Amino acid sequence: MRSVRARAALGATVVVALAVVVAGLAALLVLRANLTDQAGLQAEVAARETAGQLALDVPYDQLETGDEEDHPVQVTDEDGRVVAVSKDLEAISGTGTDRVTPQHPRAARGKGDDDGDRDDDDDDGADPGRGEVSTDDPDFASGTATVDGDRADYRFASVEATDSAGLTLTVHAGAPLAAEQRAVASVRAAMLAALPVVLLIVAGVTWLVTRRALRPVEDIRREMAAITASEDLSRRVPEPASRDEVARLARTTNETLAALESSVDRQRRFVADASHELRSPIASLRTQLEVGAAHPELLDVEGAVADTVRLQALAADLLLLARLDAGERPGNARLELGALVRAEVSQRTGDRIPVAVSVPESGGLEVTGSRGQLARVIGNLLDNAERHAVSSVAVELRGIRGGAVVAVTDDGAGVPEAERERIFERFVRLDDARARDDGGAGLGLAIARDVATRHGGRLTVTGAGERGARFELWLPGPR
């Protein structure tokens, strides 16, 4: 079953079916218990009425037991012998004995007489007294009784009574369970008849509700399929007006499409710009080599070497960007940032402007990451400062809470505030009027920010006083 709607409808139907069955069984059990208790109460009333007569020494064959069919009665003595039964009682079960033939009253009441003779003189003037009915809660049991040929189920109540002679008798009176059985059967039949209807309604409603809820999802799927087929990443999926999970899914999908479109556009521009940047030194180098091949005396060796160096540097930058885009993780080495700054500045012997270095003598400013990549960031910032500075370039290292900051300052023209984020994009240069050999390829700052971000840091640019620019690289402390 591949349809979400079908699975949802089936699941809801099964859950409701189980709930209805459990609730129905519980209702039937409660109903049966209540009706059984009512029958037991009726049986107790009938038993106490008969027990009251026994306490008044009413003869067994004259007991009034009411409607014999509704309340069959059986009376037993202390030894379990049947001494009286209601009229037309033919069989009984559930009272402790199934006998329905009473013994002779005198035999029942003559217990304890060895020869059946009693000394009448001993009874002269004796007050037989008055019997009593037990006030204890009766015992209840379920059984059957056959009255005048009709067999039925009954709820029996057992009540004890004591006659004036001190003989304890037990009255078993029953109340029919036919009403309880009819009520339970009627309720059960109604439940069984209503269950399929309820399940059909639940399944239908769930199907319709799920279909309505999933309609925006189908619209999103259809639009995504169209985007995939057309490869047009500028298209967006429809966003429902609701504020539910489907609407959030649509918004997230559109955000993903926007990020993908931006990434693809950036990649296309990157390829186009890289091809353009590579074409110039390659064309220049080829021209010089062809001229040299035809006229060796005209070969510009220094120009060829410069073009080769530039081509090599550009290829290295492109390779590093490709690794960063592929998600290359920085190293976990602990680095002393002051030593790294001094080492990078000491290698710059050919700079046109000397670099002023301000590093704490005590050291101890450590970071975690790739030594080569962080050295590349510092080198790129110094290259940028050398390219734009008029008379001074300075690098300063200081510790702040949670990390360290490397600040590179120059006294050049500075960066307009509106362009301070754009300069970190790839192949972006604000000095397009310059010769490409002097202006670079526009990858240095983009590489520096990417490396800083992947090290958990950040790279920003601000103004440096009245003129110039100040680039600040913040890196977190060791993790």
Side-chain angles (χ1 to χ4, degrees), residues 297-318:
E297 70 279 2
L298 299 179
L299 177 61
D300 184 5
V301 177
E302 293 183 0
V305 171
D307 286 339
T308 303
V309 170
R310 180 184 173 192
L311 184 60
Q312 183 181 19
L314 181 57
D317 287 344
L318 295 175

Side-chain angles (χ1 to χ4, degrees), residues 69-310:
E69 185 176 355
D70 287 342
H71 301 292
V73 175
Q74 180 192 60
V75 181
T76 60
D77 64 7
E78 296 172 339
D79 296 328
R81 293 177 297 185
V82 177
V83 298
V85 296
S86 58
K87 183 181 179 181
D88 296 330
L89 180 62
E90 300 174 359
I92 195 171
S93 65
T95 60
T97 177
D98 57 359
R99 296 183 180 182
V100 293
T101 302
Q103 297 188 10
H104 193 278
R106 289 188 57 82
R109 297 201 180 201
K111 177 183 176 183
D113 294 339
D114 293 336
D115 54 3
D117 297 330
R118 300 187 64 177
D119 189 353
D120 294 337
D121 295 338
D122 292 340
D123 294 337
D124 290 342
D127 184 4
R130 183 184 180 90
E132 62 180 8
V133 178
S134 173
T135 58
D136 295 338
D137 291 337
D139 295 329
F140 294 97
S142 296
T144 61
T146 302
V147 180
D148 196 18
D150 294 330
R151 185 175 183 274
D153 295 327
Y154 289 86
R155 183 70 169 172
F156 290 100
S158 301
V159 177
E160 292 185 351
T162 305
D163 63 10
S164 60
L167 179 63
T168 300
L169 302 170
T170 301
V171 179
H172 307 282
L177 293 176
E180 175 262 342
Q181 293 172 346
R182 287 194 299 270
V184 171
S186 298
V187 173
R188 183 172 57 246
M191 287 183 175
L192 291 177
L195 181 60
V197 177
V198 172
L199 295 182
L200 286 176
I201 293 175
V202 170
V205 171
T206 304
W207 177 273
L208 294 176
V209 171
T210 307
R211 179 181 180 182
R212 181 181 180 88
L214 293 179
R215 186 177 301 162
V217 177
E218 176 61 21
D219 294 339
I220 294 173
R221 185 207 64 79
R222 188 181 300 111
E223 184 63 24
M224 287 296 294
I227 292 173
T228 302
S230 65
E231 298 183 358
D232 183 5
L233 296 178
S234 64
R235 299 174 62 172
R236 297 292 182 265
V237 300
E239 295 187 14
S242 60
R243 298 181 179 179
D244 55 10
E245 293 83 353
V246 177
R248 292 196 292 272
L249 172 63
R251 287 192 293 271
T252 302
T253 302
N254 284 334
E255 291 171 359
T256 302
L257 288 172
L260 183 59
E261 180 185 16
S262 176
S263 176
V264 170
D265 289 343
R266 188 170 59 251
Q267 188 70 22
R268 289 171 178 169
R269 290 196 305 269
F270 177 78
V271 172
D273 292 338
S275 301
H276 181 74
E277 294 293 337
L278 288 170
R279 187 183 301 116
S280 296
I282 291 176
S284 177
L285 183 59
R286 177 180 177 180
T287 300
Q288 295 181 56
L289 292 177
E290 289 177 345
V291 171
H295 306 281
E297 70 279 2
L298 299 179
L299 177 61
D300 184 5
V301 177
E302 293 183 0
V305 171
D307 286 339
T308 303
V309 170
R310 180 184 173 192

Side-chain angles (χ1 to χ4, degrees), residues 239-473:
E239 295 187 14
S242 60
R243 298 181 179 179
D244 55 10
E245 293 83 353
V246 177
R248 292 196 292 272
L249 172 63
R251 287 192 293 271
T252 302
T253 302
N254 284 334
E255 291 171 359
T256 302
L257 288 172
L260 183 59
E261 180 185 16
S262 176
S263 176
V264 170
D265 289 343
R266 188 170 59 251
Q267 188 70 22
R268 289 171 178 169
R269 290 196 305 269
F270 177 78
V271 172
D273 292 338
S275 301
H276 181 74
E277 294 293 337
L278 288 170
R279 187 183 301 116
S280 296
I282 291 176
S284 177
L285 183 59
R286 177 180 177 180
T287 300
Q288 295 181 56
L289 292 177
E290 289 177 345
V291 171
H295 306 281
E297 70 279 2
L298 299 179
L299 177 61
D300 184 5
V301 177
E302 293 183 0
V305 171
D307 286 339
T308 303
V309 170
R310 180 184 173 192
L311 184 60
Q312 183 181 19
L314 181 57
D317 287 344
L318 295 175
L319 179 59
L320 177 57
L321 285 173
R323 294 205 308 268
L324 294 176
D325 289 342
E328 179 180 286
R329 291 177 172 269
N332 292 322
R334 293 172 69 96
L335 308 172
E336 209 288 305
L337 203 53
L340 184 62
V341 171
R342 291 193 188 94
E344 186 62 26
V345 173
S346 66
Q347 298 176 6
R348 307 181 67 86
T349 57
D351 287 346
R352 64 183 181 90
I353 299 175
V355 179
V357 180
S358 176
V359 177
E361 295 294 336
S362 59
L365 295 178
E366 293 186 338
V367 296
T368 302
S370 168
R371 182 181 185 86
Q373 291 185 9
L374 292 178
R376 183 69 172 275
V377 172
I378 297 173
N380 287 358
L381 294 179
L382 291 174
D383 287 343
N384 182 75
E386 287 285 344
R387 185 178 298 115
H388 297 91
V390 175
S391 60
S392 67
V393 175
V395 57
E396 175 191 2
L397 174 63
R398 71 179 189 279
I400 62 174
R401 186 175 182 180
V405 171
V406 178
V408 178
T409 308
D410 66 74
D411 61 349
V415 182
E417 187 172 353
E419 303 288 346
R420 288 178 180 174
E421 283 300 314
R422 182 169 170 267
I423 61 173
F424 293 107
E425 297 178 7
R426 299 175 183 182
F427 297 105
V428 171
R429 292 173 295 185
L430 302 184
D431 50 358
D432 290 334
R434 290 187 180 183
R436 291 186 180 274
D437 292 341
D438 294 332
L443 293 177
L445 294 179
I447 291 174
R449 171 164 278 191
D450 280 354
V451 172
T453 301
R454 281 167 173 75
H455 280 75
R458 59 180 177 269
L459 177 61
T460 58
V461 59
T462 59
E466 295 182 359
R467 58 181 290 122
R470 178 182 179 87
F471 287 83
E472 290 191 351
L473 169 66

